[in-house]
Amino acid sequence: ILLLFLFGSLVFKMSLGKDIYALLAMIAVLSLCSTSLGALLSLVAKTDSQLTGYSLFIVLFSAALGGTMVPLRLMPEMMQKIAKVVPQSWALEGFQKIIVSNGNMSSITTNITVLLGFSLAFLVCALILIRTKK
């Protein structure tokens, strides 16, 4: 994620916002969330092929639902509300607050908290699966 933002900044002169620490915090929390989901999926899948299939389905479905393929503001109001059940919408909103609106840490507190909640939920589910597989 960091490399993508650096590439955008260096090659396309994209602004990274005024608070680099807020950006780094969002990157770290999104990485934790992604890793937690990956741990859970690795316990659910029985084969590498299943893991690939599950991962692709979840990533594509949640990306579409979360506003990374189609801006949320273009979706019907009901879909905008449903989008809040996937981490991507919270991450996208947090990055937009930092980069587009020049937000700071206090402007992304809710986004970070929700992403940490998703991470915790994924990790708890993974731990439960680990215990039941013994």
Side-chain angles (χ1 to χ4, degrees):
I1 299 169
L2 180 60
L3 290 176
L4 289 174
F5 279 117
L6 287 175
F7 181 81
S9 177
L10 295 172
V11 175
F12 299 113
K13 307 299 183 213
M14 179 183 96
S15 168
L16 297 180
K18 291 184 178 178
D19 190 346
I20 193 71
Y21 295 112
L23 182 66
L24 292 174
M26 278 297 301
I27 290 170
V29 173
L30 180 58
S31 297
L32 173 66
C33 190
S34 299
T35 304
S36 302
L37 178 59
L40 175 60
L41 288 176
S42 71
L43 291 165
V44 171
K46 293 180 175 75
T47 65
D48 289 345
S49 296
Q50 276 186 343
L51 181 59
T52 301
Y54 293 160
S55 299
L56 282 173
F57 174 77
I58 289 173
V59 167
L60 292 175
F61 178 77
S62 57
L65 187 62
T68 57
M69 292 183 178
V70 176
L72 285 175
R73 61 179 159 61
L74 298 179
M75 292 184 186
E77 188 176 329
M78 186 177 105
M79 289 301 293
Q80 292 178 26
K81 291 179 182 177
I82 293 172
K84 294 298 185 181
V85 301
V86 295
Q88 283 91 331
S89 69
W90 293 96
L92 181 62
E93 180 183 282
F95 286 126
Q96 287 174 337
K97 286 178 182 176
I98 296 164
I99 295 169
V100 177
S101 304
N102 286 318
N104 55 22
M105 286 297 284
S106 64
S107 66
I108 59 165
T109 303
T110 301
N111 303 82
I112 285 179
T113 303
V114 172
L115 287 171
L116 287 173
F118 275 112
S119 301
L120 181 62
F122 296 148
L123 286 174
V124 166
C125 290
L127 289 173
I128 291 169
L129 279 176
I130 288 172
R131 290 192 177 264
T132 59
K133 287 189 176 194
K134 282 187 178 182

